[in-house]
Amino acid sequence: WNHGLKRSAYKDFSMDWCFECHSTLVSMIRSFVPDPLISVVMPCFNQGHYIKDALKSVLDQSFPNWEIIVVDDTSTDRCGDIARSFAVKHELGARFQLVTNTQNLGLAESRNAALLYARGVWVCALDPDDKLHKSYFKAAVQAMSHRPDLQLITANQQFFEGSNWVWELPPFDTA
């Protein structure tokens, strides 16, 4: 597992060498961790009217090993409070973290702020106005365990609230 380098894993060991082998190490970890923790990162800015449905879609997952990190990006609609109340009601305990920004950072920086708290092997970016199919995590974990070289999983999207329209993504080309 030395990427074809002409040195042993035990010879000339250095931190630089470890970082060169990062993708191989991640692949090895993924293949030996049967139920990896999935960190759901969810920035929220004035989407409190949707967030309970998004959180419920995580709670309903058939794969049980997940955590949720919600980032309240200075919402004026109590988005963070709604998420915290949901977590208390459903006894999520340490599986739930709420991060509150002191100023509006926007979607990308808020998602990055959530990543600082993520403990999972994998990350699922979920917006408050989205919902996951109940078997999404299970299917993703199965795909990753059969193909530890995978770095990204995408899924088709289906509209809800009165629409059955499905957006099917084209095959992903890594070339």
Side-chain angles (χ1 to χ4, degrees):
W1 64 284
N2 64 5
H3 291 279
L5 301 174
K6 296 189 182 204
R7 60 180 156 184
S8 156
Y10 304 102
K11 187 176 177 186
D12 300 325
F13 181 82
S14 70
M15 286 307 292
D16 289 337
W17 181 76
C18 285
F19 287 116
E20 288 174 18
C21 296
H22 176 264
S23 63
T24 302
L25 291 171
V26 169
S27 294
M28 288 177 62
I29 290 168
R30 287 178 178 165
S31 64
F32 290 113
V33 178
D35 291 327
L37 180 65
I38 298 173
S39 295
V40 179
V41 295
M42 185 182 302
C44 185
F45 179 72
N46 291 340
Q47 294 179 310
H49 53 289
Y50 293 118
I51 197 164
K52 285 194 278 186
D53 288 338
L55 293 170
K56 179 88 167 81
S57 78
V58 175
L59 185 65
D60 290 344
Q61 288 297 299
S62 58
F63 182 82
N65 202 15
W66 48 261
E67 67 176 354
I68 302 172
I69 302 111
V70 172
V71 178
D72 185 346
D73 195 22
T74 66
S75 296
T76 58
D77 70 349
R78 301 182 49 251
C79 185
D81 293 335
I82 294 167
R84 183 183 299 113
S85 295
F86 180 93
V88 169
K89 178 181 177 182
H90 295 281
E91 300 177 349
L92 297 183
R95 297 176 85 181
F96 174 83
Q97 295 181 68
L98 176 64
V99 178
T100 304
N101 292 343
T102 56
Q103 64 183 25
N104 184 270
L105 299 178
L107 180 64
E109 286 190 54
S110 293
R111 199 176 308 280
N112 288 339
L115 290 174
L116 295 174
Y117 295 88
R119 297 174 294 145
V121 174
W122 297 324
V123 173
C124 174
L126 182 65
D127 293 331
D129 61 345
D130 294 334
K131 295 189 277 188
L132 298 171
H133 187 276
K134 65 183 178 181
S135 64
Y136 179 74
F137 289 167
K138 184 177 181 180
V141 167
Q142 285 175 345
M144 290 278 200
S145 65
H146 288 96
R147 292 269 321 271
D149 59 315
L150 290 177
Q151 300 293 316
L152 174 70
I153 290 184
T154 61
N156 294 334
Q157 297 179 17
Q158 181 176 357
F159 284 75
F160 53 93
E161 293 186 3
S163 174
N164 290 324
W165 185 75
V166 176
W167 177 30
E168 294 188 21
L169 298 173
F172 186 74
D173 184 8
T174 59

